[in-house]
Amino acid sequence: MSDIARRFPENPILCPKELNASRAGLEIVCLLNPGVFTFQNKIWLLVRVAERPAQKQGLISFPVLRKNGIEIIEIAESDPALADNDPRVINYQGADYLTTLSHLRLVCSDDGVHFYQPAGYPLLQGEGEDETFGIEDCRVSLIDNTYYLTFTSVSAHGVGVGLRTTKDWKRFEKHGMIIPPHNKDCAIFEECINGKFYALHRPSSVALGGNYIWLAESPDGIHWGKHKCIVKTRPNHWDSARVGAGAAPIKTVEGWLEIYHGANGKHQYCLGAFLMDLNDPSKVLARTEEPIMVPTADYELHGFFGEVVFTNGHIVNGDELTIYYGAADEFVCGAKFSVKEILSTLKYA
């Protein structure tokens, strides 16, 4: 497998121990998959912070959002109704629960490498019955001075796409769930095409079909329709089990360039790219055969869930593409790419 990423020598740039938990009684287990944007001449990350109670011997405990706040559920490890063979999800008495509760937190940087949490900005937390297991993996798109935040809303109802918008990162308008379960990995294009908003998203198929990337269009960025499947998994490839969009597509002279993640049957996550037509993004022109980034560094191979590189945020500066990514589902890292080099790796249909 190929790898053309130039990783930050400072990686990981954020670790769980470097931030404080949102409340007493919880600990930060993972920092994951930040949305990325510029604001007030700084680079900002909207980091997914995954928390849980400190674990006690013989017990598994995890938090769930209720109307009155966070409830801690404790289950004996010996309980025969418990299935806990995945560090991310447990099943108890036939129902699935996440082992952690995620919220979104803002950090910023003057140099794009050293980040800190500024005062005066709120945590973005789950609200309502569709977000009782938290909100995750936000993509940030800037359109006409408004930031569109698409994120994964998680609850016992399933996994869907939520939307909030803001202009100042202190006041947010909530638009509810814009794509119902099971769906995630939603990235809105940062400009309209022929008067329409476009977004990539990923329905999850239980039986027929698969975990493919779809395109949707909208008159207003809130109400979505005309869904079309545009990128599928490939048997015996690095992206054989699932594919999903990264951040907003990058406009180039050759087309809309999308960095995406793919995983195989062993749950190893890599990054690749595909190219869409500038005037009709439902037309996929080219795609990488091999990944452009493979988990090889120790912090990508070993962590809460190893062998993972996963991005939903980047900064474009001419030919330089700076991708911020989650490594091993525990750390936040950075890497640089050349847009031209990525384009040169594409194989046209």
Side-chain angles (χ1 to χ4, degrees), residues 12-149:
I13 56 174
L14 278 177
C15 300
K17 63 183 179 182
E18 294 170 359
L19 296 179
N20 294 323
S22 63
R23 52 163 271 183
L26 296 180
E27 61 179 10
I28 297 176
V29 183
C30 315
L31 301 178
L32 307 98
N33 315 338
V36 184
F37 60 97
T38 56
F39 178 64
Q40 296 180 340
N41 299 315
K42 297 180 187 295
I43 294 174
W44 295 67
L45 306 182
L46 189 54
V47 181
R48 173 183 164 192
V49 178
E51 300 177 311
R52 69 179 181 189
Q55 299 299 289
K56 303 173 185 175
Q57 180 119 16
L59 293 173
I60 288 181
S61 58
F62 54 90
V64 176
L65 280 174
R66 305 296 191 197
K67 288 183 179 180
N68 297 325
I70 294 175
E71 175 188 352
I72 305 300
I73 298 175
E74 290 187 339
I75 302 169
E77 288 182 347
S78 59
D79 194 316
L82 173 67
D84 63 341
N85 55 350
D86 187 321
R88 302 166 299 178
V89 182
I90 65 169
N91 183 280
Y92 182 63
Q93 295 181 339
D96 289 325
Y97 298 92
L98 298 187
T99 58
T100 61
L101 180 65
S102 291
H103 67 270
L104 306 175
R105 192 178 303 192
L106 287 162
V107 296
C108 65
S109 172
D110 295 309
D111 61 7
V113 176
H114 303 92
F115 286 85
Y116 63 93
Q117 186 174 337
Y121 291 89
L123 305 181
L124 277 69
Q125 297 177 299
E127 297 180 16
E129 61 183 5
D130 294 327
E131 300 175 358
T132 53
F133 292 175
I135 55 177
E136 306 175 352
D137 297 352
C138 187
R139 279 92 173 153
V140 179
S141 297
L142 177 61
I143 307 168
D144 295 333
N145 299 314
T146 296
Y147 293 92
Y148 288 73
L149 286 61

Side-chain angles (χ1 to χ4, degrees), residues 312-329:
N312 41 265
H314 57 235
I315 297 290
V316 183
N317 183 14
D319 182 58
E320 184 181 76
L321 172 65
T322 303
I323 285 180
Y324 294 92
Y325 66 98
D329 274 5

Side-chain angles (χ1 to χ4, degrees), residues 16-307:
K17 63 183 179 182
E18 294 170 359
L19 296 179
N20 294 323
S22 63
R23 52 163 271 183
L26 296 180
E27 61 179 10
I28 297 176
V29 183
C30 315
L31 301 178
L32 307 98
N33 315 338
V36 184
F37 60 97
T38 56
F39 178 64
Q40 296 180 340
N41 299 315
K42 297 180 187 295
I43 294 174
W44 295 67
L45 306 182
L46 189 54
V47 181
R48 173 183 164 192
V49 178
E51 300 177 311
R52 69 179 181 189
Q55 299 299 289
K56 303 173 185 175
Q57 180 119 16
L59 293 173
I60 288 181
S61 58
F62 54 90
V64 176
L65 280 174
R66 305 296 191 197
K67 288 183 179 180
N68 297 325
I70 294 175
E71 175 188 352
I72 305 300
I73 298 175
E74 290 187 339
I75 302 169
E77 288 182 347
S78 59
D79 194 316
L82 173 67
D84 63 341
N85 55 350
D86 187 321
R88 302 166 299 178
V89 182
I90 65 169
N91 183 280
Y92 182 63
Q93 295 181 339
D96 289 325
Y97 298 92
L98 298 187
T99 58
T100 61
L101 180 65
S102 291
H103 67 270
L104 306 175
R105 192 178 303 192
L106 287 162
V107 296
C108 65
S109 172
D110 295 309
D111 61 7
V113 176
H114 303 92
F115 286 85
Y116 63 93
Q117 186 174 337
Y121 291 89
L123 305 181
L124 277 69
Q125 297 177 299
E127 297 180 16
E129 61 183 5
D130 294 327
E131 300 175 358
T132 53
F133 292 175
I135 55 177
E136 306 175 352
D137 297 352
C138 187
R139 279 92 173 153
V140 179
S141 297
L142 177 61
I143 307 168
D144 295 333
N145 299 314
T146 296
Y147 293 92
Y148 288 73
L149 286 61
T150 51
F151 50 86
T152 306
S153 299
V154 190
S155 74
H157 296 164
V159 176
V161 177
L163 173 68
R164 301 180 191 180
T165 54
T166 185
K167 293 181 182 293
D168 60 8
W169 290 97
K170 295 187 176 182
R171 294 166 294 180
F172 297 84
E173 185 174 355
K174 303 176 181 68
H175 303 280
M177 189 173 284
I178 58 170
I179 306 179
H182 286 297
N183 203 298
K184 62 195 314 187
D185 300 335
C186 180
I188 299 177
F189 288 59
E190 291 197 296
E191 68 176 68
C192 291
I193 304 169
N194 300 319
K196 298 175 183 176
F197 290 79
Y198 282 88
L200 301 170
H201 64 95
R202 208 284 300 284
S204 299
S205 174
V206 176
L208 286 175
N211 296 308
Y212 307 148
I213 297 173
W214 288 59
L215 182 76
E217 63 181 63
S218 167
D220 56 10
I222 297 171
H223 305 90
W224 296 90
K226 294 191 177 180
H227 304 274
K228 181 178 180 180
C229 181
I230 62 169
V231 172
K232 293 185 176 182
T233 54
R234 297 177 288 191
N236 304 314
H237 275 62
W238 60 274
D239 52 4
S240 60
R242 65 189 67 84
V243 291
I250 302 160
K251 191 175 186 179
T252 75
V253 294
E254 296 186 31
W256 293 102
L257 179 65
E258 175 63 16
I259 309 302
Y260 76 99
H261 67 264
N264 60 21
K266 297 180 180 179
H267 306 294
Q268 298 164 320
Y269 281 75
C270 302
L271 301 183
F274 63 89
L275 191 71
M276 295 164 282
D277 184 88
L278 281 176
N279 295 310
D280 182 2
S282 69
K283 295 179 181 178
V284 175
L285 306 176
R287 185 174 176 182
T288 50
E289 281 286 323
E290 296 294 323
I292 62 172
M293 188 174 191
V294 178
T296 53
D298 182 70
Y299 51 80
E300 298 162 353
L301 296 171
H302 304 105
F304 187 74
F305 195 83
E307 297 189 79

